[in-house]
Every structure is written in C-alpha cells, then in structure tokens.
Amino acid sequence: MKNYWLLAFGCFLLVILTGCGAEQAMKKGDKYYALGEYYDAAAQYKKAYSQTPAKERALRGKRALKMAESYRRINYTQKAIAAYNNAVRYKQTDSLTYLHLAEQLMKSGNYKEAAKNYQTALDSIKSYAFKDSRSYEQQAKAGLRSAQKAPIWKEEGSRYIVKRENFFNSRRSEYSPMLTGEDFNQLFFTSTRNQAKGDELSGITGTKNADIFVSIKDDKGKWQRPEVIDSELNSDGEEGACSFTPDGRTMYLTQCKTDGQYPRYANIATSQRSDAAWSKATELVLTRDTLSAYAHPAVSPDGEWLYFTSNMPGGKGGYDIWRVRLTSSGLGGVENLGAPINTAGDEMFPTFRPNGDLYFSSNGHEGMGGLDIYIAKPIETHDNISKNAQLYVIEHPGYPLNSQGDDFGMTFEGMKNKGFFSSNRGDGKGWDHIYSFAKPDIIQTVKGWVYEAEGYELPQAQVYLIGNDGTNLKLSVKGDGSFVQEIKPNVDYVLLGTCKGFLNHQEQLRVDSVDESTEYVLQFPLASITAPVMIDNIFYDFDKATLRPESKESLDKLVVLLKENPNVTIELSAHCDYKGPAEYNKQLSQKRAETVVQYLVEQGIESDRLTPMGYGKEKPKTVRKKLTEKYPFLKENDVLTEEFIKTLENEEQQEQCNQLNRRTEFIVLRTTYGLTPKK
C-alpha cells in the first residue's frame, strides 16, 4: 500500500512538472516568435506540444497551430502541414488556418488537397468578420485558381532549361545570386554556410547568419570556389540580396543586425568598392518609419531608380515592391509600384533584365506554389499619366523556371536570357540553392544575298530595310554579298537591294509570330545597267511568236523590276540560233520581241519605255565567267558563233550552245525616263 501511494504521488508530481515544463516552453516560444526567431519558437512549441496530455485536445490543438505557424515561416513545409492538420483534428483553427494549410499543400505539390482547403478557407473567411478579411479572400481566390492551373502549367512546360548548380551550393542556404563585372565574370550570392562569419546560430533559421560570398571566373572561363567577402562588408549580423549600380562601384544590400531584445527589421545599406575591396555597409535611410522592413534592393538598368521590398503602410498588402529615385543630391520620395505588380500577398526580390523587364517573385499572383517568378514588361502610354508612372503587363514564365517551391532572385548574363536564380524546390528543410537557367530566345532573322544577275556577288551593294513598325535601316553586305538582320514578329517589311551600276531589286516580307527561331532567306539578283540581262524561262510555240503559259512567271518578275525602277527604259531583244534562213529568223525574233513587249504593256508598263528588237542570229551570246561554272567546256568571252559551235566535236555541247543563243534578254537604254519635262 505504501508503494502504491508513492507511485501515485510520483505520477501526480510528474504531471505537475510536465505541465510546468510545457507552460515554460510556451512562454519561451511566444518570446522567440515575437522577436521573429521562428526556428527557436518552433522548437519550444514542439516541446510544449509533446508534453501536453492527449486528453487535453483543445490545448494540444492550440499549441499545434502555433507550431504550424512557426514551421510555415521557416519553410519546413511537411512539418507545417502535419501541425496544421493536428490543429484541424483538434478543432482549434482560426480564420486563416485553412488558407495557410492550402499554401503549404501547394508547396508540397499536392494541388488537389490544396484546392479543397482553399475552398474551405474561402468559406471560413466569409464567416468571420475581421481586419483585412477582404485581402485574405483575394488571396484564397487566387490560390484556388493556382491549384487548378498549376498541374496544367507543369504538364505544358516551357522552353526554359533549369539545372541545379552544386558547385555554388552547400548543405545550407544559398540565394539571390547577382552577376557583375566585366563579361559578368563575378557571381555574388548570399549563403548561411559554415564559412560565414560569426559563431552563433540564428534563432530565425537555425543556421549561421547569412553573409555575401563571391565566385570569380578565371581566364579560361571556369568559376572558382566561392569565398566569403573578406572585408568589413560582412558582419556578425545578416547581409545578403545585393545589387550593383551600372558602373559596379556601389553595392546595395540587405542587412539585419542582431538584437536579442527587440524584433529585427531588415534595412537596406550601401557599400563602396575601392580597388578590389568593399567598404563597411552604411544604412540607407529610405523613410522615417523604423517599424517596417526594407530589403531586396535592385538598381534599374539606367541607374536612376532603386527598387526594393517593404511592408511599410500604404501598400497593397503583405510585402510590396516600391521604388525611390536616385539622384546626385540624394533620394527622392518612395513610390509603391501598385497594381498589377503588387497584390494582397507578398511581392519580393525585384531584379532587372538589361532590356528593362522587371522580374520579381510573388505568392499573391496565380502560381505553382510558394513564391513564383513573374516578368513585368513595361508598356508605353501616350496619355497624361505622370512621367514617373510606369505601366506593366505581367507574364508567368511557367515550369520549370517556376516550381512548387519558392523561386526567386534572378540575375542575367548581360542581354542573354540566361543566368542564375535561387529555389528551395525539393529541399526538405526549405533551404534555398542556386540554379542556372537558360531560355533559347526565339529570334527571327532575314538573310539575303545581293549579286549580279548572271554574275557574282556584289560586296559593294547596300540593302534598305523598311518596316511598318517604323524600322528604317541601311544594311551593308559582306564580302560574299550576304547580309543578316534580326527582325520582329507581326511586322511587314520591304527590302531594297541597291548597287551603283545596277537596277534596284525589291522584296517584301511578312513576319508572323513563331514558336521557334526562324530565318527567312531572300535573293537580290541585280540587273546590270551596262550589260545584257537574260530573262530565264521564256518559251514560245515552235516556229511561232506565241508565248507559252510557263513564260508568265519570269515576265511577271520583269514587270515588277520595271515598276521598281520607273525611270528606266529598256531594249527588249529576242535571238535565234544559226539554223534556218537568216532573214526568216530575224523576222521571227522581231515578232517574239514584240509579243513580250505587248505582254509587258498589258501589265501596266508604259510602251515608250520598251523597244522591241529582233536580231535573229546576228548577235550570238558572249560567254560570261559565271556561265563557265555550268558549262566547263566554255571559256569567258567565248562568242557562240556558228563557226565556234561547229568546231565542237560533241553534239550535246553544240546543242547546249544553240540553246544559249536562243534567248530573250534586255539591256538598259536610259535611266532618266520621266525625270525631264516632255516637249
């Protein structure tokens, strides 16, 4: 009996001590949570939860909910889901429990369950009347649409190529990479790896405080091992998420100082580069508000604006993206970017592609889970909007650049659509790592060759490119007579090939939108002003002057040429071989020349620009160098007279020469038609 009472008293004492231990853990957890030290808070809440008897369901539910909130803030997604589910099981949910659970399910890729909880969240939010309920309702609606679209985006994919770059990564977090330097040979990024300064572990993350590291390419283009910046830039506190001015001499960075008694608010600081060293960071005071966070600085490509993230009053909700003008005399006033960029959720990590496109991350727009990357492309307006205002169209770049995890912190290798970003996809502890990305650009080009008709390339030629979008370019050609020029989709172009001593040649090109890079190839055969130009593929009925239908294509090209060169008059000549009576051949060739002229007149060419001449066999063809490539038995300047042809022993070669003599060609007579007044 005595032993029984001792055992009972021991159990009673254990319950009392356990209860006291749980309460003490909760007090510590609440203190850590208030300071923003969510890793330490989660540990205390877990301790309290495990010491709470199972029969005290309501108390276990409340502690599970606090544990879930802490896990959510440090990206321990699976632990957060389990804790939220316990809060639901014990019926200790608040107005936002289902919304936050749905968000965690999105980050785990469980879109079906996420959709159910978003719907429950909508019903729950509508039944409560609390501050900002409208904002959370918007988030829940956007989340529900995201859960429905995310599987489709993942299935469709995109042209982005994404690769985890383990060379830069450690067993801790690496994020917000930033390329700078000549040829973008320096990669700065933030890391909590063991090489970071200081010895204490952060109560926020459970790792060392973040520092800025750098990796540099050697002369062979190989990245060197990342090293912590060895100067006063990094402190025992947190530094990271940096950006540079266009000249590379000023760094803007996020800094969070250590304070064990008060919540730590991030602020933006600056550092100056002297030679190869960075100075100690100096706080940049953006506003007088000391109770808001300022982080993730990004300098615009023109160096005139500093974009950043803040939760200061006056935003759309959560964290917004703001900007402030940088001037030689100091900072201008801060501006909220407003809609459509900022939402009721969080918009963070702004960065720029050199072409002016703004990249940022958000959990307020429709996405695949966590923070997704979005592209804000500026659009021009011609109304009375302030010159400082900027309008954007928002684009979601899809999977695999975006994933179910947090994706953020883009940096670009110059104008190329390639570079690095950070993501915690696939990491059970929610730690971020550096990934590379590349998106082969869809480039449309026009390639052309300018050459003499029946001759060689004309490297002294020039091509004029005119587009209905305002394009007006003068292009030079290479030594082989070619040129290449990038062109834009949904534009109509006219290209004019010109060269001194030759007639102009025009081509028209309609460029549509395409899914793959496309090259359009055009030919610019320029007709000589001083030498006869053969008109290929002109056929007549046997022993007649009647044009055959297959001659129409070549004659229509001649019509276009004459319309493109309205000041030219030509002699249109027809020629025969030596077979048959000379006088008969001359009469037949004259009739054939007149038939061609008649066709041209019917197509709108002025008759006084055309002179028909039938030469019969009087003007045998003179061989030009280009022709010798097709007929190696001929030499340049050979004249295909009857005597020359009969010296050829090969009958096939004789017939080929006769075919060359049976031709229709033109020669330019004047280039001043219509330029002088008529008598």
Side-chain angles (χ1 to χ4, degrees):
M1 179 66 70
K2 181 180 179 181
N3 290 337
Y4 170 79
W5 286 111
L6 287 174
L7 180 61
F9 178 76
C11 291
F12 174 75
L13 184 61
L14 179 63
V15 169
I16 294 296
L17 292 175
T18 300
C20 291
E23 289 298 327
Q24 190 67 25
M26 286 301 298
K27 289 181 180 179
K28 288 184 178 180
D30 290 343
K31 178 183 177 181
Y32 289 138
Y33 193 93
L35 292 173
E37 297 179 350
Y38 304 114
Y39 178 85
D40 288 345
Q44 294 299 321
Y45 291 144
K46 180 181 179 182
K47 180 180 178 180
Y49 177 83
S50 64
Q51 293 180 354
T52 304
K55 63 181 180 180
E56 297 187 39
R57 296 176 61 83
L59 190 58
R60 282 177 67 86
K62 290 178 181 179
R63 291 173 176 175
L65 186 59
K66 286 197 171 186
M67 185 166 50
E69 287 296 303
S70 299
Y71 283 139
R72 174 176 68 87
R73 293 176 179 273
I74 58 175
N75 287 324
Y76 278 33
T77 302
Q78 293 302 328
K79 289 186 176 181
I81 291 173
Y84 277 124
N85 281 330
N86 281 332
V88 171
R89 180 161 61 97
Y90 290 125
K91 299 181 180 180
Q92 294 299 313
T93 61
D94 62 20
S95 57
L96 299 179
T97 299
Y98 291 103
L99 174 61
H100 291 156
L101 175 57
E103 291 170 346
Q104 298 303 300
L105 289 166
M106 287 288 292
K107 294 183 74 170
S108 71
N110 191 343
Y111 298 125
K112 185 176 181 180
E113 286 300 313
K116 292 180 181 178
N117 280 275
Y118 274 126
Q119 187 59 60
T120 304
L122 279 171
D123 298 337
S124 175
I125 292 170
K126 290 177 181 178
S127 65
Y128 283 87
F130 62 98
K131 183 181 178 181
D132 298 328
S133 60
R134 175 60 178 167
S135 174
Y136 290 119
E137 183 181 354
Q138 292 174 359
Q139 292 183 58
K141 288 181 178 179
L144 181 58
R145 293 192 297 269
S146 297
Q148 295 165 346
K149 292 181 179 180
I152 300 173
W153 284 333
K154 191 169 184 178
E155 179 69 23
E156 290 177 344
S158 71
R159 297 174 59 250
Y160 280 96
I161 301 169
V162 171
K163 178 183 177 184
R164 178 165 165 164
E165 296 295 339
N166 287 328
F167 178 77
F168 301 115
N169 295 319
S170 69
R171 294 185 177 181
R172 297 295 185 265
S173 281
E174 287 79 29
Y175 59 93
S176 291
M178 182 58 59
L179 285 164
T180 188
E182 294 183 9
D183 300 323
F184 306 97
N185 62 346
Q186 301 175 37
L187 181 67
F188 290 75
F189 61 89
T190 308
S191 178
T192 61
R193 64 184 63 191
N194 292 334
Q195 289 75 25
K197 290 185 176 182
D199 298 321
E200 295 184 3
L201 299 183
S202 168
I204 301 175
T205 62
T207 63
K208 296 186 75 171
N209 286 329
D211 276 347
I212 298 177
F213 287 71
V214 63
S215 177
I216 300 176
K217 275 186 181 180
D218 62 18
D219 295 338
K220 297 181 180 179
K222 183 178 180 181
W223 290 106
Q224 301 301 292
R225 184 176 301 278
E227 301 286 348
V228 65
I229 295 180
D230 189 16
S231 71
E232 293 184 297
L233 174 69
N234 289 314
S235 68
D236 290 340
E238 300 227 18
E239 285 82 24
C242 61
S243 179
F244 300 89
T245 53
D247 62 8
R249 302 196 64 83
T250 300
M251 175 195 296
Y252 291 86
L253 65 147
T254 305
Q255 193 173 54
C256 190
K257 297 179 180 179
T258 301
D259 192 324
Q261 300 299 320
Y262 298 97
R264 289 176 284 173
Y265 297 103
N267 60 69
I268 293 174
T270 62
S271 174
Q272 306 299 320
R273 180 168 63 87
S274 177
D275 294 329
W278 290 96
S279 68
K280 184 178 180 179
T282 303
E283 182 178 352
L284 182 69
V285 179
L286 296 171
T287 73
R288 295 181 179 180
D289 180 0
T290 60
L291 298 178
S292 298
Y294 304 87
H296 313 156
V299 182
S300 61
D302 58 13
E304 294 185 1
W305 293 92
L306 179 68
Y307 288 66
F308 61 94
T309 298
S310 179
N311 60 348
M312 73 175 88
K316 294 290 184 180
Y319 285 89
D320 276 10
I321 296 177
W322 302 69
R323 71 175 184 174
V324 61
R325 185 179 288 279
L326 301 173
T327 71
S328 57
S329 58
L331 301 177
V334 296
E335 304 176 6
N336 187 287
L337 292 194
I341 290 178
N342 291 321
T343 68
D346 294 325
E347 281 69 47
M348 313 167 82
F349 298 98
T351 189
F352 282 92
R353 189 176 174 186
N355 66 358
D357 290 347
L358 172 63
Y359 286 67
F360 67 97
S361 292
S362 171
N363 60 16
H365 291 275
E366 296 174 10
M368 299 186 67
L371 292 172
D372 268 23
I373 294 169
Y374 297 85
I375 309 171
K377 296 187 176 183
I379 56 177
E380 296 181 0
T381 60
H382 302 283
D383 52 22
N384 295 323
I385 294 177
S386 166
K387 292 182 179 179
N388 292 336
Q390 181 69 72
L391 298 180
Y392 298 90
V393 57
I394 307 300
E395 176 184 323
H396 184 276
Y399 178 85
L401 186 64
N402 285 313
S403 68
Q404 63 199 42
D406 292 324
D407 307 294
F408 60 98
M410 301 279 285
T411 186
F412 293 87
E413 188 179 324
M415 296 300 294
K416 299 176 183 177
N417 200 350
K418 63 180 293 189
F420 301 95
F421 72 107
S422 40
S423 176
N424 62 11
R425 62 186 70 184
D427 191 290
K429 293 185 177 181
W431 289 342
D432 307 303
H433 301 288
I434 292 176
Y435 288 74
S436 64
F437 73 92
K439 182 183 180 183
D441 287 321
I442 298 177
I443 299 176
Q444 299 196 71
T445 57
V446 57
K447 184 174 185 178
W449 277 270
V450 187
Y451 55 93
E452 180 183 1
E454 293 190 272
Y456 291 94
E457 60 273 0
L458 295 170
Q460 66 273 33
Q462 289 185 326
V463 176
Y464 294 87
L465 177 68
I466 310 296
N468 63 356
D469 65 337
T471 299
N472 191 338
L473 300 176
K474 183 179 180 181
L475 311 176
S476 297
V477 301
K478 300 177 182 178
D480 62 353
S482 69
F483 68 90
V484 178
Q485 176 62 39
E486 185 174 347
I487 50 181
K488 302 175 184 178
N490 304 315
V491 177
D492 294 322
Y493 291 99
V494 174
L495 296 94
L496 185 69
T498 68
C499 187
K500 186 177 181 180
F502 295 86
L503 299 182
N504 298 334
H505 180 86
Q506 179 178 298
E507 291 286 343
Q508 296 185 11
L509 182 63
R510 167 65 183 177
V511 183
D512 296 316
S513 296
V514 294
D515 295 327
E516 297 181 356
S517 294
T518 304
E519 183 175 74
Y520 302 86
V521 179
L522 301 176
Q523 304 286 339
F524 293 82
L526 303 190
S528 173
I529 292 177
T530 59
V533 180
M534 184 172 169
I535 309 173
D536 292 324
N537 301 318
I538 301 298
F539 305 101
Y540 306 91
D541 288 339
F542 178 71
D543 204 28
K544 295 181 181 180
T546 307
L547 282 168
R548 295 183 60 82
E550 55 264 37
S551 305
K552 183 177 182 295
E553 181 178 353
S554 293
L555 289 178
D556 287 343
K557 291 180 180 179
L558 179 57
V559 170
V560 172
L561 179 65
L562 291 170
K563 289 183 177 180
E564 292 171 354
N565 298 270
N567 305 121
V568 168
T569 65
I570 64 170
E571 175 188 281
L572 197 294
S573 58
H575 304 263
C576 299
D577 57 29
Y578 64 81
K579 299 176 182 179
E583 187 61 30
Y584 176 80
N585 282 343
K586 187 170 183 178
Q587 292 177 0
L588 178 60
S589 62
Q590 180 65 31
K591 291 180 181 178
R592 288 179 170 178
E594 291 172 352
T595 300
V596 172
V597 166
Q598 181 182 352
Y599 181 87
L600 298 177
V601 171
E602 291 173 353
Q603 305 307 311
I605 305 301
E606 297 88 341
S607 60
D608 56 348
R609 294 177 61 195
L610 309 169
T611 302
M613 290 295 296
Y615 287 103
K617 65 175 183 178
E618 294 176 2
K619 289 190 174 184
K621 187 172 182 65
T622 299
V623 176
R624 301 182 65 183
K625 185 177 181 180
K626 185 70 175 178
L627 201 59
T628 63
E629 296 177 4
K630 185 176 181 180
Y631 303 101
F633 66 91
L634 296 176
K635 297 183 178 60
E636 185 179 6
N637 296 323
D638 281 347
V639 181
L640 305 184
T641 62
E642 182 178 353
E643 293 75 18
F644 175 86
I645 295 173
K646 289 183 176 179
T647 62
L648 300 172
E649 297 180 357
N650 188 309
E651 292 184 2
E652 182 180 356
Q653 293 176 352
Q654 289 183 5
E655 179 54 30
Q656 288 172 339
C657 290
N658 284 328
Q659 289 176 356
L660 291 173
N661 274 332
R662 297 192 295 268
R663 67 196 189 278
T664 301
E665 59 189 17
F666 71 87
I667 187 171
V668 175
L669 299 178
R670 286 194 302 135
T671 59
T672 58
Y673 177 82
L675 297 181
T676 57
K678 297 181 179 180
K679 293 184 179 179

